[in-house]
Amino acid sequence: MMLRHFGLATTLAATFALASPAHAVTELQWWHAMTGGNNDVVNKLAADFNASQSDYKVVPSFKGGYADTMNAGIAAFRAGNAPHIMQVFEVGTATMMSATGAIKPVYQLMKDAGEPFDPKAYLPTITGYYSTSKGEMLSFPFNSSSTVMWINKDELKKAGIAAIPKTWPEVFDAAKKLKAAGHATCGFSNAWASWVHIEQFSAWHNVPIGTKSNGLDGFDTELKFNSPLHVKHLQNLIDLQKDKTYDYGGRANAGEARFGSGECAIFLTSSGYYGTAKGTAKFDFTSAPMPYYPDVAGAPQNSIIGGASLWVMGGKKPEEYKGVAKFFAFLSDTDRQAKLHQESGYLPITKAAYEKTKASGFYEKNPVLETPLKELTNKEPTANSRGLRFGNMVQMRDLWAEEMEAALAGKKTAKEALDAAVARGNAVLRTFEKTAK
Amino acid sequence: MEKSAVFNGKLLPYLLLVPQLIITFVFFYWPASQAVWQSFLREDAFGLRSEFIGLENYQALFAQPEYYAAMLTTLVFSTLVAVLSLSIALLFATQADKNLKAAPVYKTFMIWPYAVAPAVAGVLWFFMFHPSLGTLARPLRWMGFDWNPVLNGNHAMMLVVMAAVWKQISYNFLFFLAGLQSIPKSVIEAGAIDGAGPMRRFWTIVFPLLSPTTFFLLVVNVVYVFFDTFGIIDAVTGGGPAGATTTMVYKVYADGRLGGDLGGSAAQSVVLMVIVIALTAIQFRYVERKVQY
């Protein structure tokens, strides 16, 4: 009897299983590098999209930090198992762009799938980074940020600093006062040293990082960040490092905790640090634009973005691409973007989402979140401040950090370190150029 | 009286060797030959285009002053780690070999660190000694010592050496302890009766009898510092500051996996492979002569 029931049950199950292909759900793999609160945001976006329709299912998976996620994706591609969507940080852009065949350009994807798509609806300072010189959008902007200066208002007040410093000389001055007022180990500091002091510094002062519009106009580019202005700035940091008026805090974002703990009262890092600052800082803090040298004509110019975008991998089935296109259209929705921006602290990617947030009076209550937007749109971007696109940038950033560390440790002069960083970077660029033909 | 079996068949011995040969081929010769082949290629990260360029990767490698710096760093790092982890483990093992009540507990605690993954060990040390976050770095600063591994290369080197040594002590300890326990007590007692003090007994009786173990551990430790330490370095210093802790194996990892330069990275691993084979050969040729089995 039992056996017969079992047989019946399996027959029934089989019938249902056979019936279901009419409603087959196409799974779309989404590999990302978001941790903490941002990981929740990613999961919620996927869940909302899956609930909004029944043909596709987006499956997000966390693959480690930005570099890890990119490496995992590349390894998976080599093994023939690439995900559909991969989150890649901004410095991986050139590597992804040159991988013709490995990726499916987003403008092509949207066209093929017949999804409504207007590249002009997105903030140009963001999409410029991910588009060809013809304006074709290659990847879909997801989480974008920029460098801002985080300020511990309580400590500034205690040290008798009336206004938030605007220029580098004012920052140095404030740092000395902070040091005298008890911040013996750190007047000011930063994370992501090469991003802050080379990449953003150059854009903000409208000087080139490299030729060919910082590589946006071709891979045969030469680095240029050993100019007198760059040397002067690094020399200032070297001099201030001696008594810890400036104190280098290590690679990547390792030093960020020094702001949250109150050790450093002035700290330059990503605007994406907002979520963490909100959770950890037990003092009144705000963000301010990056400082500039007032004797540089036209400074400040505008900042460039950081963060990541979503790349669609090549070699997938047309119906899968249809799903990806639907998902991107879903992400572009104004209300959704506005909410995403207000919760995560990353920039809104569409103009409409920015306008909506502005109109709602959100920035009056949360000026912290408007700083990066003001920096990015401070002036019309120039060839030096539109963005950057250098091959093997991940490796290069490490080389640049190495040279800066040598200079700050007193082993090299500012000029020697920057010359070496440029020369070593150029060698990497030449290797990349040969592989990216 | 002598018992010996003679197999006349030619096939059987070879057949018995086959599984071992297959494993060696699949897990060593095949990947190694792939690395050699890749070192002659220029390839993009995705493996879409590759081009045979002969020895260009090697030429580029030996033109880099940073590569020689990495060699020197490797020499300093491996010497420090091998000497420290062997001597500290030997000291602990001799202490654990004494008749103590708590010996089993002591031994268990000694072996635990070996179960910790290198990257986890690295993160642990990173947090203890981070200049501003570290629980152990703060007391150092209070004592007026300007501890700063994010900018001072020597401090960073000390940190990775400590982490790598700490990780390896357990393994060495285990072997030394086993070696010590296999030494017949009667020999040592005879020495004691003849009036030799503990130090003299150790250096004239115990240490020579431990030499096979020491030699084995020396070879294993050299291979460990050359190949297995990049996880620790990556987590503790990321090769910095200014390349002060970039060893050869870490450079292979950084250029290949993080930088996407597979050809250059493959060339480096071939060079590394040659060095380790040479080192092992030297150890067997010259050091092993001093070993008494």
Side-chain angles (χ1 to χ4, degrees):
Chain A
M1 281 298 276
M2 280 297 281
L3 210 66
R4 192 176 296 166
H5 278 298
F6 177 73
L8 191 67
T10 33
T11 321
L12 274 174
T15 322
F16 281 122
L18 278 175
S20 58
H23 248 302
V25 178
T26 309
E27 278 204 2
L28 305 168
Q29 299 297 327
W30 178 18
W31 287 10
H32 67 86
M34 303 271 72
T35 51
N38 291 328
N39 189 358
D40 300 339
V41 168
V42 163
N43 290 338
K44 181 150 191 333
L45 281 173
D48 287 353
F49 174 71
N50 296 341
S52 74
Q53 43 74 50
S54 53
D55 296 332
Y56 306 101
K57 187 179 172 209
V58 170
V59 185
S61 6
F62 171 70
K63 289 283 167 185
Y66 279 137
D68 293 325
T69 304
M70 189 170 165
N71 287 325
I74 289 174
F77 176 80
R78 291 181 76 118
N81 276 324
H84 299 84
I85 308 169
M86 191 163 109
Q87 187 189 22
V88 177
F89 59 159
E90 90 282 15
V91 293
T93 304
T95 305
M96 297 302 290
M97 264 185 81
S98 69
T100 330
I103 58 142
K104 173 103 177 169
V106 163
Y107 77 95
Q108 193 78 45
L109 171 99
M110 297 308 254
K111 205 165 100 190
D112 292 357
E115 280 294 326
F117 176 67
D118 175 18
K120 292 205 173 63
Y122 301 86
L123 283 180
T125 35
I126 299 175
T127 45
Y129 211 104
Y130 302 115
S131 302
T132 63
S133 46
K134 280 184 242 156
E136 297 160 333
M137 214 159 105
L138 296 175
S139 66
F140 186 82
F142 180 64
N143 57 320
S144 295
S145 60
S146 197
T147 305
V148 297
M149 181 165 68
W150 294 96
I151 299 286
N152 182 333
K153 281 160 92 178
D154 293 351
E155 291 303 312
L156 253 63
K157 209 180 281 167
K158 260 188 235 165
I161 301 158
I164 291 172
K166 286 196 177 65
T167 65
W168 277 115
E170 284 170 23
V171 169
F172 301 154
D173 207 41
K176 279 175 193 144
K177 281 185 188 150
L178 281 166
K179 210 178 155 266
H183 290 268
T185 52
C186 179
F188 75 102
S189 187
N190 60 272
W192 308 108
S194 78
W195 189 46
V196 171
H197 293 298
I198 294 176
E199 297 155 43
Q200 295 283 18
F201 179 84
S202 304
W204 200 229
H205 290 88
N206 194 19
V207 290
I209 307 164
T211 57
K212 300 245 164 183
S213 307
N214 292 337
L216 290 168
D217 295 343
F219 287 141
D220 50 339
T221 159
E222 295 268 344
L223 299 172
K224 285 279 172 217
F225 60 82
N226 50 351
S227 76
L229 176 67
H230 290 99
V231 172
K232 177 177 120 179
H233 182 55
L234 184 56
Q235 191 58 50
N236 283 338
L237 295 182
I238 295 171
D239 295 342
L240 296 169
Q241 173 70 58
K242 283 178 189 142
D243 66 352
K244 293 189 190 287
T245 303
Y246 166 74
D247 191 40
Y248 176 75
R251 298 259 174 104
N253 62 347
E256 278 175 355
R258 304 176 75 190
F259 180 76
S261 71
E263 188 192 356
C264 304
I266 299 178
F267 198 91
L268 285 99
T269 188
S270 167
S271 58
Y273 174 62
Y274 174 67
T276 314
K278 201 168 54 171
T280 53
K282 293 187 185 68
F283 47 81
D284 191 14
F285 69 89
T286 189
S287 70
M290 289 184 282
Y292 58 95
Y293 285 100
D295 52 338
V296 175
Q301 181 64 38
N302 63 291
S303 71
I304 53 180
I305 59 159
S309 67
L310 303 180
W311 288 83
V312 185
M313 303 305 285
K316 302 288 178 189
K317 295 189 196 104
E319 75 256 29
E320 293 173 332
Y321 283 138
K322 238 185 186 139
V324 176
K326 273 213 155 54
F327 181 55
F328 285 174
F330 171 88
L331 287 179
S332 308
D333 175 75
T334 304
D335 289 349
R336 192 157 291 116
Q337 270 304 322
K339 210 169 147 229
L340 197 62
H341 161 55
Q342 292 163 22
E343 281 174 6
S344 71
Y346 283 109
L347 307 175
I349 56 166
T350 61
K351 288 175 189 164
Y354 180 28
E355 295 304 330
K356 193 181 163 174
T357 309
K358 211 177 196 173
S360 73
F362 179 82
Y363 295 127
E364 273 111 67
K365 272 178 255 155
N366 301 281
V368 177
L369 285 188
E370 207 184 13
T371 310
L373 285 156
K374 280 184 175 162
E375 284 180 328
L376 283 164
T377 54
N378 186 43
K379 279 178 191 164
E380 203 55 41
T382 66
N384 297 325
S385 66
R386 202 147 48 95
L388 61 85
R389 190 174 296 144
F390 299 114
N392 284 349
M393 184 69 190
V394 188
Q395 188 185 7
M396 248 186 329
R397 259 195 182 165
D398 275 345
L399 302 181
W400 298 357
E402 259 181 35
E403 295 300 334
M404 288 179 76
E405 284 167 352
L408 291 169
K411 286 188 198 145
K412 283 185 181 177
T413 66
K415 179 92 177 92
E416 282 167 358
L418 289 174
D419 285 349
V422 163
R424 292 175 71 187
N426 279 333
V428 170
L429 287 179
R430 294 296 76 81
T431 311
F432 181 78
E433 195 186 341
K434 286 176 199 154
T435 60
K437 262 174 224 159
Chain B
M1 289 297 277
E2 217 172 75
K3 275 187 196 168
S4 69
V6 178
F7 297 100
N8 285 322
K10 285 249 161 68
L11 195 64
L12 185 65
Y14 287 110
L15 216 61
L16 291 172
L17 266 177
V18 162
Q20 177 64 46
L21 287 177
I22 288 176
I23 288 170
T24 312
F25 181 81
V26 169
F27 290 101
F28 181 71
Y29 288 101
W30 190 69
S33 68
Q34 286 289 305
V36 173
W37 171 238
Q38 224 171 23
S39 71
F40 298 127
L41 300 178
R42 177 163 41 224
E43 221 181 346
D44 71 306
F46 284 88
L48 296 166
R49 289 165 295 260
S50 66
E51 181 189 0
F52 186 82
I53 51 164
L55 292 173
E56 234 178 85
N57 283 326
Y58 290 93
Q59 281 164 358
L61 188 61
F62 288 109
Q64 278 179 38
E66 293 80 26
Y67 193 57
Y68 298 101
M71 282 183 171
L72 187 67
T73 307
T74 310
L75 185 72
V76 174
F77 177 71
S78 52
T79 311
L80 284 173
V81 172
V83 169
L84 286 174
S85 66
L86 283 171
S87 45
I88 295 173
L90 181 59
L91 179 72
F92 284 166
T94 50
Q95 300 312 305
D97 194 35
K98 289 179 177 161
N99 291 321
L100 293 172
K101 239 189 189 164
V105 182
Y106 181 46
K107 285 170 200 165
T108 312
F109 276 117
M110 282 299 304
I111 291 156
W112 268 358
Y114 196 64
V116 178
V120 176
V123 171
L124 213 77
W125 285 84
F126 171 78
F127 277 121
M128 284 194 293
F129 284 99
H130 186 280
S132 41
L133 315 173
T135 42
L136 294 179
R138 280 171 187 237
L140 273 176
R141 288 198 153 186
W142 285 332
M143 286 187 282
F145 185 68
D146 188 20
W147 173 254
N148 193 5
V150 295
L151 216 48
N152 185 316
N154 293 335
H155 293 180
M157 179 56 97
M158 271 158 67
L159 200 49
V160 286
V161 166
M162 280 195 284
V165 168
W166 177 77
K167 187 78 193 65
Q168 189 63 8
I169 283 177
S170 308
Y171 182 86
N172 295 347
F173 169 80
L174 206 60
F175 276 86
F176 274 133
L177 188 65
L180 283 171
Q181 289 180 344
S182 69
I183 295 173
K185 289 277 175 288
S186 54
V187 183
I188 301 168
E189 278 159 14
I193 291 164
D194 288 346
M199 283 310 275
R200 194 178 165 88
R201 286 203 300 271
F202 179 78
W203 288 114
T204 53
I205 303 170
V206 177
F207 192 67
L209 286 173
L210 265 184
S211 62
T213 313
T214 313
F215 176 66
F216 164 78
L217 285 177
L218 180 68
V219 175
V220 168
N221 276 266
V222 167
V223 173
Y224 161 76
V225 282
F226 268 84
F227 289 111
D228 276 352
T229 44
F230 67 88
I232 290 176
I233 294 174
D234 193 44
V236 181
T237 60
T245 53
T246 301
T247 59
M248 290 167 80
V249 71
Y250 186 70
K251 202 165 152 58
V252 170
Y253 172 73
D255 290 0
R257 175 142 170 99
L258 305 178
D261 177 13
L262 296 176
S265 173
Q268 289 178 41
S269 54
V270 171
V271 173
L272 194 59
M273 192 161 73
V274 169
I275 292 178
V276 171
I277 289 173
L279 265 179
T280 311
I282 291 171
Q283 285 173 342
F284 272 95
R285 184 99 175 73
Y286 298 102
V287 184
E288 207 196 11
R289 285 187 185 167
K290 299 205 165 66
V291 171
Q292 298 158 10
Y293 289 101

